[in-house]
Amino acid sequence: MALNLRQKQTECITRMLNLNQPVNATGTANEEVYKILIYDKFCQNILSPLIRVKDLRKHGVTLYFLIDKDRKPVHDVPAVYFVQPNQANIQRIMADTSRSLYDSFHLNFSSSIPRPLLEDLASGTLSSDSIQRISKVHDQYLEFVTLEDGLFSLAQKSTYVQLNDPSAGDREIEEIVERIVSGLFCVLATLAVVPIIRCPRGGPAEMVASALDQRLRDHLLSKNNLFTEGGSFVSSFQRPILCIFDRNFELAVGIQHDFRYRPLVHDVLGLRLNRLSVQGEKGGMRSYELDSSDPFWVANGSLEFPEVAVEIETQLNKYKKDVDEVNRRTGGTDGAEFDGTDLTGNTKHLMNAVNSLPELTERKQVIDKHTNIATVLLGEIKERLLDSYAKKENDMLVRGSIDRNELLGLLKGKGTKMDKLRFAIMYLISSESINQSEVESVEAALRESEVDTSAFQYVKKLKSLNASMASANSASRNNIVDWAEKIYAVTAGVKNLLSSDRQLALTRTVELLIEGRPNPEIDGYLVFDPRAPKSSSGSSHLRGPFKEAIVFMIGGGNYVEYGSLQELAQRQQPVKHVIYGTTEILTGAEFVEQLALLGHKMGLGTNVAASSH
């Protein structure tokens, strides 16, 4: 069975909304109970892409509130709480029970509630004599946001900065790793699979993989564990592979401009939790949802923008033709064949027309939505020359260089400060050799446009450290500052970042890991099997091939990688299933802001705000 994270998480939420009772085939509980839903901001973001208001009504939820809002008592009604297990939420729950706001309390925590907090809850409700109001306490293991069938985010902000901060101590790094492991554990528990884990050696990827392996091993020893896929004899063919990477594995993808529809909408219009707001044709803001219920978005998200514009035109013409056909058949236009002699036939035409109206209306709404989005995008593309940025960045990655006049021409031309900064960093990453005078010209052009160069200086420092580490012998390596140890492979193999078919290094590596054949690129990757004795972790049966993969990027992912992995899955024979997840989904501008923050922490660059305007 294909791994469908969206479906699995929705099923868990549906069960929770029905007071954790079994749900029948129609997706509702056998006995309808009216209830109130209380959530915190984080859990609201989990629910938002999956559950609409009409779904809440279907499951008997009549009112819903944020936990930190003042609420009036509603007697004789149970309340379903869905919150993160933290001190503030526990205090609020204890206050609600002591005031007897609701008839009964069904507490659902997004991840496993720590023992001390559970004890606080027990003692607090005991002392206020309200413990009998708490019906059940559930650990739901749902602490992640699913945006599409194969796309999720742990919604953990600024992980890249925290992991690469030169001042971060071991304890802080361990806490971040623990948070990531907890989120990944929730994803695996929801899918009910124990994967084979692969990752490159060193850095955050190995730290997370090793800690997750230990967490799964410890959990599998408990009697009632969450994984029901069978015993340890399940062969690797039924189990997915989990490939863990760190953003430094391929820095460029987080920064570059992309000209495909889905990444462009996210990067330029700020798609968040599958929603965005754009200027409407008649003024005012229009809000749209873009998810798997939108057939145009699903079918055309990976196309280049000009192809999308053509597709919108094609769909519009097809719609007009179908409307004309309906009109012709029902006598809505001149020359109609409605002569009144064949009443049965005419009635049939009318019935067909009436039945096709909802479908036609829906199609028109989708066309109008994407026409509006594409119009706003086109305005931004022309205003900022985004097509030039995308093309030149891609050329630089493939060729490893760029003509100096082209480089400076774009930096002194149109585009926001952030566009220019991203382009300048892409020039740094893709250049095989650094030409000092050219770099100085780039810095001068950025200063001329009043761009904060901290992010540029940070990547320049990474690049020079990389070169030092590559050439330094082991004896002198200790002289390089400690924090450089965390940075590896930032620009290694940059020439191969985009092969002729524009395949990302991440996608190519995942393809090799899924196939599982010996290859020098992945032979050094670590293997963890939480179900096997530790001594046998390197055995050959763990190396695939695999039918299903989960790819996780630490430090921020994006729609470019997601699209690339989906194309890989479709290209395989037979078709494979690939889920892509990340600590947070970032636009190019958001990721560069994190690089700038690290630059500031190291005292690099200028202090002019790199606003995106």
Side-chain angles (χ1 to χ4, degrees):
M1 193 196 109
L3 297 179
N4 187 327
L5 191 58
R6 186 184 171 91
Q7 182 191 332
K8 293 273 190 188
Q9 194 180 24
T10 307
E11 284 169 5
C12 293
I13 288 167
T14 301
R15 195 169 58 243
M16 177 186 81
L17 293 176
N18 287 294
L19 309 181
N20 292 291
Q21 299 299 315
V23 176
N24 59 31
T26 60
T28 54
N30 295 324
E31 182 190 356
E32 188 166 22
V33 178
Y34 291 106
K35 58 197 84 81
I36 288 173
L37 175 64
I38 312 292
Y39 43 68
D40 59 12
K41 195 78 194 127
F42 188 91
C43 291
Q44 182 182 29
N45 290 346
I46 294 173
L47 295 170
S48 173
L50 300 175
I51 302 281
R52 291 184 169 81
V53 172
K54 66 171 193 281
D55 298 322
L56 289 176
R57 298 272 181 272
K58 184 172 113 178
H59 298 301
V61 174
T62 50
L63 296 168
Y64 44 93
F65 302 104
L66 278 163
I67 190 167
D68 52 7
K69 292 277 185 287
D70 286 331
R71 289 168 275 120
K72 292 188 167 58
V74 183
H75 302 299
D76 303 327
V77 173
V80 174
Y81 279 69
F82 181 38
V83 294
Q84 282 188 296
N86 58 39
Q87 193 64 50
N89 286 337
I90 294 295
Q91 293 299 330
R92 193 67 201 230
I93 290 168
M94 292 193 304
D96 291 353
T97 54
S98 66
R99 289 173 55 210
S100 302
L101 279 188
Y102 313 113
D103 181 55
S104 59
F105 291 71
H106 297 257
L107 306 182
N108 299 273
F109 293 105
S110 55
S111 62
S112 181
I113 181 171
R115 185 85 192 171
L117 284 182
L118 195 58
E119 287 170 359
D120 286 354
L121 178 65
S123 58
T125 48
L126 264 175
S127 59
S128 65
D129 197 25
S130 56
I131 196 161
Q132 74 283 356
R133 292 197 175 276
I134 295 181
S135 295
K136 279 262 173 78
V137 179
H138 288 270
D139 292 337
Q140 290 290 0
Y141 297 100
L142 293 172
E143 201 153 292
F144 56 94
V145 178
T146 308
L147 298 167
E148 300 195 14
D149 291 351
L151 175 65
F152 72 91
S153 158
L154 299 186
Q156 296 179 2
K157 295 196 186 311
S158 303
T159 314
Y160 185 81
V161 173
Q162 293 161 0
L163 287 171
N164 293 285
D165 186 342
S167 63
D170 289 352
R171 184 75 207 102
E172 290 154 284
I173 299 286
E174 280 167 20
E175 281 173 9
I176 298 156
V177 167
E178 185 46 47
R179 265 210 315 277
I180 296 169
V181 167
S182 176
L184 277 174
F185 183 84
C186 288
V187 171
L188 298 175
T190 301
L191 290 169
V193 292
V194 179
I196 308 292
I197 305 169
R198 298 293 305 265
C199 71
R201 289 177 188 277
E206 181 179 345
M207 291 160 82
V208 169
S210 174
L212 180 61
D213 174 57
Q214 195 53 55
R215 173 87 188 263
L216 287 165
R217 283 174 184 280
D218 293 345
H219 181 77
L220 288 168
L221 292 174
S222 59
K223 275 202 184 81
N224 47 354
N225 73 63
L226 298 159
F227 301 98
T228 53
E229 55 168 18
S232 57
F233 55 81
V234 176
S235 77
S236 68
F237 293 99
Q238 270 93 43
R239 290 168 65 191
I241 181 174
L242 167 60
C243 315
I244 301 178
F245 298 91
D246 159 42
R247 187 66 274 160
N248 287 331
F249 176 79
E250 193 173 14
L251 209 58
V253 192
I255 301 164
Q256 71 189 74
H257 291 86
D258 197 273
F259 212 50
R260 279 164 290 197
Y261 193 40
R262 199 190 276 113
L264 203 55
V265 167
H266 175 238
D267 199 28
V268 177
L269 303 180
L271 178 69
R272 186 175 175 275
L273 296 173
N274 295 343
R275 287 190 177 86
L276 60 83
S277 294
V278 294
Q279 195 72 36
E281 289 169 17
K282 298 170 183 162
M285 296 301 284
R286 293 293 307 271
S287 191
Y288 295 121
E289 284 195 21
L290 294 170
D291 58 19
S292 53
S293 66
D294 179 335
F296 189 91
W297 179 246
V298 172
N300 303 295
S302 58
L303 294 182
E304 297 267 330
F305 181 70
E307 296 171 318
V308 173
V310 170
E311 186 58 29
I312 291 173
E313 186 71 24
T314 308
Q315 298 269 4
L316 185 59
N317 290 336
K318 188 171 182 301
Y319 166 79
K320 285 177 178 169
K321 193 165 153 250
D322 290 351
V323 169
D324 289 346
E325 178 63 18
V326 168
N327 285 336
R328 192 179 66 77
R329 285 176 174 277
T330 56
T333 55
D334 294 339
E337 43 184 61
F338 190 87
D339 57 3
T341 52
D342 178 11
L343 276 177
T344 313
N346 289 326
T347 309
K348 195 168 151 206
H349 285 323
L350 276 172
M351 289 301 293
N352 287 340
V354 168
N355 290 336
S356 66
L357 279 177
E359 190 256 346
L360 284 170
T361 309
E362 205 170 297
R363 270 167 59 193
K364 183 69 167 70
Q365 283 171 346
V366 169
I367 293 166
D368 288 349
K369 169 165 74 171
H370 289 280
T371 303
N372 193 6
I373 291 170
T375 306
V376 176
L377 269 182
L378 187 60
E380 289 283 329
I381 290 165
K382 284 181 176 170
E383 178 67 29
R384 291 163 54 185
L385 288 184
L386 293 175
D387 49 341
S388 292
Y389 281 106
K391 184 177 186 314
K392 296 248 185 345
E393 286 169 7
N394 192 42
D395 290 348
M396 283 193 297
L397 283 170
V398 174
R399 292 207 309 260
S401 63
I402 184 173
D403 176 74
R404 187 176 185 140
N405 293 335
E406 279 187 64
L407 174 68
L408 297 175
L410 203 50
L411 285 174
K412 290 176 179 176
K414 284 184 172 181
T416 63
K417 293 177 188 181
M418 184 55 86
D419 289 329
K420 292 174 182 180
L421 180 57
R422 285 165 67 182
F423 182 63
I425 295 172
M426 287 300 294
Y427 152 74
L428 260 189
I429 291 176
S430 60
S431 301
E432 288 182 336
S433 56
I434 293 289
N435 177 330
Q436 206 48 51
S437 71
E438 204 166 79
V439 171
E440 282 164 16
S441 311
V442 168
E443 288 175 4
L446 289 175
R447 279 196 296 273
E448 209 176 293
S449 297
E450 298 183 336
V451 175
D452 176 353
T453 59
S454 308
F456 183 83
Q457 300 293 353
Y458 179 74
V459 174
K460 190 167 92 172
K461 180 123 179 140
L462 287 192
K463 186 134 185 172
S464 66
L465 276 164
N466 247 23
S468 323
M469 287 180 82
S471 60
N473 62 38
S474 53
S476 63
R477 226 170 234 206
N478 299 335
N479 302 332
I480 297 172
V481 284
D482 280 349
W483 70 270
E485 295 283 317
K486 296 177 192 161
I487 312 298
Y488 56 93
V490 174
T491 49
V494 152
K495 185 72 179 150
N496 303 324
L497 274 181
L498 288 168
S499 49
S500 56
D501 64 348
R502 298 185 63 188
Q503 195 177 10
L504 305 179
L506 175 78
T507 311
R508 194 180 60 244
T509 308
V510 168
E511 184 170 15
L512 294 172
L513 289 167
I514 289 174
E515 284 172 1
R517 286 199 287 271
N519 186 296
E521 278 193 56
I522 55 161
D523 287 346
Y525 276 45
L526 297 169
V527 186
F528 298 90
D529 179 7
R531 284 199 180 278
K534 279 211 161 172
S535 57
S536 68
S537 267
S539 60
S540 59
H541 83 280
L542 304 176
R543 298 182 186 269
F546 295 91
K547 290 178 181 171
E548 298 167 327
I550 302 163
V551 180
F552 186 75
M553 180 59 76
I554 300 165
N558 49 68
Y559 282 92
V560 179
E561 283 175 339
Y562 171 60
S564 180
L565 288 166
Q566 291 309 308
E567 283 166 24
L568 166 70
Q570 293 304 312
R571 207 168 56 235
Q572 299 284 316
Q573 286 302 328
V575 170
K576 301 274 199 286
H577 293 277
V578 179
I579 291 176
Y580 173 70
T582 173
T583 42
E584 60 178 328
I585 293 179
L586 297 173
T587 63
E590 288 165 345
F591 182 57
V592 169
E593 277 161 12
Q594 294 200 21
L595 293 175
L597 199 54
L598 287 167
H600 284 304
K601 283 175 182 283
M602 295 181 63
L604 302 170
T606 52
N607 287 320
V608 186
S611 102
S612 52
H613 301 292

